[in-house]
Amino acid sequence: MIDKLNAIANRMVAPGKGILAADESTASIAKRLESIKVVSTEESRRDYREMLFGAKEAMQSYISGVILFDETLRQKARNGTPLVDLIKAAGAVPGIKLDTGAKPLALSLGETVTEGLDGLAGRVAEYAKLGAEFAKWRAVIDIGKGIPTHNAIHANAHALARYAAICQAGGIVPMVEPEVLMDGDHDIDACAAASEWALKEQFQELFYAGVQLEGIILKPNMVISGKKCAKQASREEVAEKTLKVLKRCVPAAVPGIAFLSGGQSGEDATAHLHLMNAAGPLPWKLTFSYGRALQSDALKAWGGKMENVAAGQKAFAHRARMNALAASGKWAQSLEKAA
Ligand code: 13P
């Protein structure tokens, strides 16, 4: 079993490719569509995702995997082809979001714990039948006055480890996503400290749960200044401090690390990934698993209109290509301007 899981994980972090996170929940995708004045319906959500997955150049050349929400995994394109088949036809690995969201952690100072473990083995079996070869579970760690606490870090790491074990037992690769948020006014060193703590705890819990590291993908945040922090760290500092924390915490047995973008601009997320890969060699593959940073330009260019599908796909292809280059340490700012 571990050989099969390791082979899937290696396809997910294939050289010069990365993952499209398109697993926004119904509530989150509604907000994205609202931003371009499109009402969120089953059909508009389908049209948007069909535009992305049908982008041949982007999907075939730069995308190794796509994370889906339950609805999308069951949806068909306008011509009746299951959307998951569009992804497979492009040579990318389909994945599924398995958590049911971050919920208030009882008796805490506003911290959360991610839920979704009950009945999970049955859901994994069903999703595997529907074509999912990997999964994702996102835990959220917030930085603020008196937080994160060990209670929140531990509860989330434990749930992620149980989820990861259930996925591996069911034959699919778990993406393990302990996200330290960049929403606060904390500085980059506070993010480094919280990220290191969360990752140390995470790998300890994965060990206790018997998870085989050769069959997981880590999906972490970058070490970065809080959005509201007056002092914003440079791109070089983000790359340096992120690598430092990852090298301290992530065993070389892990095949790959695929970052979330977390609210960074498209270009920042690309530049940070590029700088880290350019500083290699590294013990693991380092690539992207971006949602917003990969989709924002495409969403705007598409605007919910059939006549703009090609424009949306072109914007998606550009961002995907820039990130694919960054995954090889071959991106340059000048390539952005040229486009
Ligand atoms: P962002 O890149 O927009 O943070 O989304 C990635 C993701 O999958 C978050 O769980």
Side-chain angles (χ1 to χ4, degrees):
M1 178 70 96
I2 189 59
D3 290 345
K4 173 190 155 185
L5 295 171
N6 181 250
I8 297 169
N10 280 317
R11 278 163 59 213
M12 292 166 66
V13 292
K17 289 190 177 188
I19 294 164
L20 166 64
D23 60 316
E24 300 85 0
S25 63
T26 308
S28 299
I29 193 69
K31 280 187 234 151
R32 307 274 191 275
L33 291 172
E34 208 173 276
S35 75
I36 54 161
K37 303 199 166 54
V38 170
V39 179
S40 178
T41 62
E42 215 178 306
E43 201 182 332
S44 65
R45 294 191 290 271
R46 189 272 316 273
D47 286 347
Y48 175 58
R49 272 119 179 197
E50 182 176 346
M51 183 272 292
L52 293 174
F53 310 157
K56 282 216 174 65
E57 187 210 337
M59 291 293 296
Q60 291 176 0
S61 306
Y62 314 123
I63 300 297
S64 55
V66 182
I67 320 174
L68 302 169
F69 189 63
D70 176 275
E71 175 185 86
T72 320
L73 187 58
R74 303 171 195 276
Q75 258 173 339
K76 290 190 171 71
R78 276 176 181 244
N79 71 4
T81 311
L83 290 180
V84 67
D85 288 351
L86 286 184
I87 295 167
K88 285 193 215 157
V93 188
I96 181 76
K97 171 188 171 78
L98 286 183
D99 67 74
T100 55
K103 304 288 158 59
L105 179 65
L107 304 182
S108 80
L109 296 164
E111 296 185 283
T112 61
V113 63
T114 298
E115 296 188 348
L117 289 170
D118 289 352
L120 186 56
R123 290 170 60 220
V124 164
E126 191 199 351
Y127 288 130
K129 274 205 201 103
L130 289 169
E133 294 184 77
F134 75 96
K136 131 172 171 183
W137 177 293
R138 172 175 176 258
V140 180
I141 308 294
D142 209 354
I143 298 177
K145 203 162 180 287
I147 62 170
T149 62
H150 181 256
N151 186 36
I153 286 192
H154 175 75
N156 278 294
H158 181 76
L160 266 164
R162 280 191 60 199
Y163 138 84
I166 292 168
C167 285
Q168 289 197 337
I172 68 175
V173 168
M175 271 190 137
V176 174
E177 182 179 0
E179 175 176 4
V180 176
L181 295 178
M182 61 180 288
D183 290 344
D185 60 4
H186 55 274
D187 65 11
I188 188 170
D189 292 322
C191 179
S195 301
E196 183 171 356
W197 192 10
L199 288 171
K200 285 276 179 213
E201 188 86 11
Q202 189 59 66
F203 281 95
Q204 195 61 36
E205 288 297 319
L206 289 168
F207 171 72
Y208 287 139
V211 172
Q212 293 185 272
L213 298 185
E214 294 80 3
I216 75 162
I217 295 293
L218 180 70
K219 176 163 174 163
N221 54 284
M222 293 185 194
V223 172
I224 195 165
S225 319
K227 268 187 226 160
K228 288 180 257 168
C229 179
K231 190 174 172 284
Q232 290 292 309
S234 67
R235 287 174 170 177
E236 287 72 20
E237 189 177 357
V238 170
E240 182 205 321
K241 291 191 168 166
T242 303
L243 277 184
K244 187 171 180 182
V245 166
L246 292 175
K247 284 179 179 172
R248 284 179 176 182
C249 301
V250 186
V254 173
I257 297 174
F259 291 105
L260 59 94
S261 61
Q264 299 178 48
S265 72
E267 235 179 88
D268 278 346
T270 301
H272 292 146
L273 179 63
H274 162 74
L275 287 169
M276 284 186 254
N277 276 304
L282 302 169
W284 354 255
K285 294 270 178 40
L286 216 56
T287 190
F288 58 92
S289 176
Y290 296 159
R292 285 162 286 178
L294 204 45
Q295 293 184 44
S296 296
D297 294 347
L299 179 71
K300 278 185 220 128
W302 173 65
K305 299 197 173 78
M306 277 308 287
E307 64 266 32
N308 291 342
V309 165
Q313 292 180 333
K314 198 170 159 213
F316 175 43
H318 172 68
R319 207 67 252 139
R321 179 166 161 262
M322 293 298 104
N323 282 308
L325 288 167
S328 309
K330 291 179 183 157
W331 173 81
Q333 184 81 55
S334 57
L335 296 169
E336 299 283 355
K337 293 198 188 90

